[in-house]
Every structure is written in C-alpha cells, then in structure tokens.
Amino acid sequence: MKGQDIVTRYQRLKGDRYTVEDVWDAIERYIAPYRGRFFKDERAENSIEWRKPFVYDATAIMAAQNLASSLHSRLTSASVSWFDLKFRQDMLNDNQVAMSWLEECSRITYEALQDSNFNVSINETYQDLVCFGTSVLIAEENENKDEDAALNFMSVPIKECYFEQDHKGDVIRVFRHLQWTPLQIVNFFGKEGLPDDVIEAAENPAADPDKKEDIIFCIYRRLDIPETSTAKVIAPEKRPWGFGYAFLKDGKELPKKGGYYERPAFVPRWRKTSSSMWGNSPAMIALADTLTLNRTIELNMTAVEKNLDPPIITTSRGLFGDLNMTAGGISEVRDVNEVKPFLSGARFDVTYQEMDRLRQNIESYFFIPQLILPPMQGTPATAMEISVRMQQLEALIGPTLGRLQTDLLDPAVTRCFGILFRAGKFPEMPDVIAQMGGKVEIEYTSPIAKTQQASNVQSLERYLTTLLGMAEANPNLLDIPDWDEAFKQLANYLGVSAKVNRPSDEVKADREQRQSMQEAQMAGETMQAVAAGEQAMSEVGPQ
C-alpha cells in the first residue's frame, strides 16, 4: 500500500467508529482508568489525567482487573507451559523420534515466550479485551540479534488501532496511529529520506520536546501472495504480509517498508457484535450498574455530609444576624427554640442495601463468584469444589475461550514457532517428518484447558470401570475395547509426555517375541509330557 492509500483508509475507519468510542470513553473513565482517553489529546506528559475525582467506587475496576489476571494465569500461565505441539498425522505422534523433536521445539518456543515481554503485553491485552471487547497484540521479531529475546510483543491501546477484515471475518489490515517526537522518528528511521524540518527539529536542542508528528503504521495482507508457512528466508516484498509508514498530514511515505511471513497483528474480541467488527465485553454489560453505583455513592456522600453537618433552620425574626457555625463562635438569637438543625431523614440502610446489590451484580458480570473462592470459614474448599468452580467458569466463558484460541493464541504461537524455526533455534528435524509431510498443530494444557479435558478423562475411566465390573459376569466383554488406543487417549487427555510411552512398533515386536517364547515354552512342556508318558508306558510293558 502507498502512503496516501494508508492515510485515506485510516481516516475512513476513524470516522466510522465514533459511536462505539462514546461507550469506550465511559468505560475508560469508570472501569479501565489510565488506558488512554479517547477524546483527549495526550501528546504532552502534563496532559495525562492521573487523578480520577469522579470515581467513587472501584468495584468494577478491580473486578475487571481480576478477570484479566485470571485469564492470564489460567490461559497463558507464566509458571507452567500452557501448550504442547502435536502432529496432525497420528503415525508421527506414535513415532518417538518425531515426537521427541517436537516436544523439544515446544519447550524452546515456550522459553522464548518467557524470555520476551510476552507476559507483560498479554496481561494488558486481556485488560483491553475484558473492558473494551477488542484488543490488539503485535508480535515482532527482535531486530537486535545481540539480545537474548528473539521475540518482542506489544499490546497496543485500542484507541490507537483500527482494522479491516475480509469476507470470512479474518483481519487483513491493521492501522496504528503513532505520535512520535522528531527525535524518535530519526532514531527509528534514520535521516535518509526524512523531511528536513523533522531532522532539524530532532537536532535542535531548543526544540519543544512535546512536539509530536502524527504517523500511521499499517500492516496489510498481500492478496496476490499465498499465505503458507515456510522455513526459507525470502525477500520482504515477497512475503504474504507487508507494512509501511506514512505521515498523517500529507500521506508522505517514510523510508521503511518490509514484510512478514506470518500475520504479526492479532485482534481478539470477547464476543462478536452483530453487524459490527468490534466486540462487546463484560464491562459494557456492567457499565449501567457501574454508573448507577457511582451516582448512588455520590448522593450518599452528600446525605452523610448533611447528617454530619446538618443545615440550620430558623424563623426570619429568630436571628439578629448570621449564625456563626465556627468552633467557639457566638450567635445572637431572639429565641433559641426557633433555631434547630434540619435533618434530611435519609434511609441509609436502604442505600447500603442498594449499593451491595449493585456491587454483587457488577462482580457477577465479571465472573468473580466463579473466579475467587469466598473467605475460608471452617474447613477449606475441597479439590472437588475447586474443580466444580472451574467447570462453571469454563461453561460460562467457553465461547470466548474458543475465540481467544482461534484469534489470539493460535496465531501468536504459530508466529513464534516460525520465527524460531527460521532462526535455527530448533534441533535438526528428523527425516521422517519431512518424508511424511508433518504438519504441526497446537494443543493447550492450561488449567482451563485441562478442565475441558477432565470430562473426557472421567468418561473414559467410567467406561473402563463399568466394563471391568460387568466382565466378571461375562469375560467376553473384555474383547470389545481397543486397550492400546484407550490408554493412548488417556495419556493424551492427561498431557503425558510422548517419551513415557514406547513406540508402537517396539511394543508390537516385544509382544511377538513374548508370544513366541510362550509358544516355545508350551511346546517344550508338551514334548516333556509326551516323553514322560512314553517312558511310563515302556516301564509298564505290554499287558
């Protein structure tokens, strides 16, 4: 895309979303503070709004952060690996050499994620997702080869991002509005090809440090190039995804263009909104009760103030002058009985009940009852109770989990795997994988994913237990199941390493050898029995 095309598409997309930005702005004020005001220019550092005097209750703020943190720890844990790599071909999954190589690749990929800033960025991504319903995460290859981290992630505030999608709903263009100082522009692009005024401003020590230029960064799909994974290094202009920069004021292109092998920008949505590209979120549902709670507390504070320092009523003839309400002050009155406080008669018990109801509603919108166990009273929660809560949570946000895997985690892991593979970070690939055309897929092993697998484990165990019980009356039932396949499935559900199970051909060879030895032993015993019988008959002799 040319610079002017980038700016034109950006301006059109910006003009189409003013309506949803009204909702986002209210969410930012009351539920997601410090993620950037949507209708305020924050170019200068002193324009950032740090104090939030209009927020009287933090229930929604903490509930949103708790849900985002829970998604982080239960979907993409920083302490344990949350995914495994498997082959789509079952024959390769049964091949110990191939699976050992893939498990090592999975370990290296996970460690590369941990060495990068993935955990910091993904948490911000979850926060935007929970609050605004849409978030943007960009995965770049680290250009500084001297650094240990091969990957660099960036969670982009939704106020800066716009995107376009194809007929299937897949993202094919992502636009980001950057505000950079001349010094940042020169540091990133170099001097060659930049306007003279930008270079002069960057080199002038007396220049305004808060003066910033508006730049549009665009990632776009090259529709004439098929999107296929490759281990070969190809020229940037031959890659399926391209990028470019342009000044917003005149559409002039900046001197840096390139390409990506895989889609580098991921745009997950909590749940799709009908007839709109933007997602909806729990915060949108909670916004009405959040505003009501905020206003209720504000009015309650006014009522409390009136009760602590009530207004005074008197008759027009009851005073000689103004009342002196300061400590130790003296007021001259005609009749002290005509001067008395005016009590509002506010029902604070009703107000507090309403506030508690609103807080419970808000927490339920963010699934806090399923996420956080109540304070321990008496005996601690059992493993069964915790498991049930996890199952309830998985049932409630199951559609969102599937969308997160498809729109965020799958492409992110695929992108990381491709970068590491091309960089030669993996061991040499066994020949059997290339010979069989091995294709890799992702299997998630996070706590929530394990909860989903738990039902499969329980079903299989219940089936085998029932079968063994009924086999006592009818042993022929033991011939029905494929026992090898049953235990392979069980190992797969439990996330057992492929190194634990021996290859199928070795197991088959051992069984054949064992059967041959048993047959030889039985033949030997039979021959011994025949010889013993013949010897016994010879000793008896003819009758």
Side-chain angles (χ1 to χ4, degrees), residues 281-423:
S281 67
M284 293 181 178
I285 301 174
L287 182 59
D289 280 355
T290 301
L291 294 175
T292 303
L293 176 61
N294 200 72
R295 180 60 176 162
T296 301
I297 294 177
E298 183 180 7
L299 294 174
N300 185 69
M301 291 171 61
T302 303
V304 170
E305 181 184 16
K306 290 179 181 178
N307 275 269
L308 295 176
D309 188 12
I312 303 298
I313 59 174
T314 183
T315 61
S316 58
R317 61 182 297 278
L319 287 176
F320 283 112
D322 294 333
L323 285 174
N324 186 350
M325 303 299 293
T326 61
I330 298 177
S331 300
E332 187 175 0
V333 298
R334 187 182 304 276
D335 186 355
V336 69
N337 293 323
E338 294 182 356
V339 180
K340 58 184 177 180
F342 179 70
L343 301 179
S344 66
R347 288 285 307 274
F348 291 104
D349 57 334
V350 176
T351 303
Y352 292 140
Q353 289 177 6
E354 179 63 11
M355 288 191 294
D356 288 342
R357 184 188 69 83
L358 291 171
R359 289 191 178 104
Q360 291 175 4
N361 287 348
I362 293 170
E363 290 182 342
S364 68
Y365 301 145
F366 291 98
F367 310 104
I368 299 303
Q370 288 76 34
L371 292 174
I372 300 177
L373 292 172
M376 188 172 63
Q377 299 176 352
T379 58
T382 64
M384 178 60 71
E385 291 174 339
I386 297 175
S387 175
V388 169
R389 282 177 176 268
M390 289 287 290
Q391 292 177 8
Q392 291 176 345
L393 177 64
E394 190 275 328
L396 290 172
I397 63 175
T400 298
L401 296 179
R403 181 173 291 278
L404 284 178
Q405 291 178 359
T406 302
D407 294 348
L408 175 63
L409 302 182
D410 282 355
V413 175
T414 301
R415 169 98 173 121
C416 297
F417 185 90
I419 291 175
L420 296 171
F421 193 90
R422 288 185 294 271

Side-chain angles (χ1 to χ4, degrees), residues 8-272:
T8 301
R9 293 304 304 159
Y10 162 79
Q11 291 175 334
R12 178 62 183 272
L13 292 170
K14 182 178 179 180
D16 286 344
R17 80 170 194 188
Y18 281 125
T19 303
V20 71
E21 283 185 355
D22 285 335
V23 179
W24 287 348
D25 190 59
I27 290 174
E28 188 279 331
R29 288 173 66 89
Y30 296 99
I31 302 178
Y34 312 114
R35 284 303 283 171
R37 295 298 305 278
F38 285 83
F39 302 106
K40 183 177 180 182
D41 194 337
E42 297 177 326
R43 295 172 185 266
E45 179 64 30
N46 57 15
S47 66
I48 306 299
E49 189 178 63
W50 291 98
R51 295 181 65 251
K52 305 290 183 181
F54 42 79
V55 177
Y56 296 99
D57 186 88
T59 300
I61 296 174
M62 294 308 301
Q65 292 185 4
N66 286 335
L67 177 55
S69 299
S70 180
L71 289 175
H72 186 184
S73 62
R74 302 186 189 201
L75 272 180
T76 52
S77 173
S79 56
V80 294
S81 178
W82 43 271
F83 67 91
D84 284 332
L85 300 178
K86 301 288 185 181
F87 290 107
R88 293 184 182 178
Q89 296 91 334
D90 291 336
M91 293 183 65
L92 284 176
N93 288 328
D94 291 337
N95 188 297
Q96 190 174 30
V97 175
M99 280 305 301
S100 296
W101 177 83
L102 193 58
E103 285 184 354
E104 181 65 11
C105 294
S106 178
R107 183 190 65 80
I108 294 173
T109 304
Y110 176 75
E111 290 181 355
L113 289 171
Q114 301 310 303
D115 291 338
S116 69
N117 61 338
F118 174 79
N119 287 307
V120 175
S121 299
I122 197 67
N123 186 269
E124 295 178 359
T125 301
Y126 289 139
Q127 290 184 39
D128 283 351
L129 191 67
V130 166
C131 292
F132 304 114
T134 307
S135 58
V136 179
L137 180 69
I138 297 178
E140 295 273 10
E141 185 173 0
N142 198 340
E143 296 181 354
N144 188 353
K145 304 300 181 182
D146 296 332
E147 294 186 9
D148 293 335
L151 309 170
N152 182 43
F153 292 86
M154 180 176 296
S155 178
V156 184
I158 192 63
K159 66 173 289 186
E160 300 178 5
C161 283
Y162 304 81
F163 68 95
E164 291 182 282
Q165 53 189 5
D166 61 12
H167 65 286
K168 297 183 294 184
D170 295 331
V171 175
I172 58 173
R173 291 175 187 166
V174 176
F175 300 83
R176 183 184 181 190
H177 181 192
L178 301 169
Q179 293 180 335
W180 282 358
T181 64
L183 182 60
Q184 290 173 317
I185 296 174
V186 171
N187 183 57
F188 184 76
F189 294 100
K191 295 182 180 180
E192 185 177 355
L194 289 181
D196 294 337
D197 60 330
V198 174
I199 298 176
E200 292 174 2
E203 295 178 344
N204 184 4
D208 183 4
D210 290 331
K211 180 183 178 182
K212 296 181 180 180
E213 296 284 348
D214 293 293
I215 298 173
I216 306 303
F217 171 56
C218 177
I219 297 171
Y220 55 90
R221 176 80 171 85
R222 293 184 173 122
L223 300 178
D224 57 334
I225 301 177
E227 188 176 15
T228 57
S229 59
T230 176
K232 299 179 181 179
V233 177
I234 57 179
E237 63 273 11
K238 299 294 185 181
R239 299 170 188 172
W241 291 85
F243 69 85
Y245 296 82
F247 283 109
L248 178 60
K249 58 185 178 183
D250 55 12
K252 179 179 175 58
E253 292 184 30
L254 284 130
K256 189 168 187 177
K257 301 180 72 174
Y260 303 100
Y261 297 88
E262 304 91 7
R263 176 160 57 95
F266 322 119
V267 188
R269 282 150 283 185
W270 183 267
R271 288 183 182 173
K272 280 290 295 292

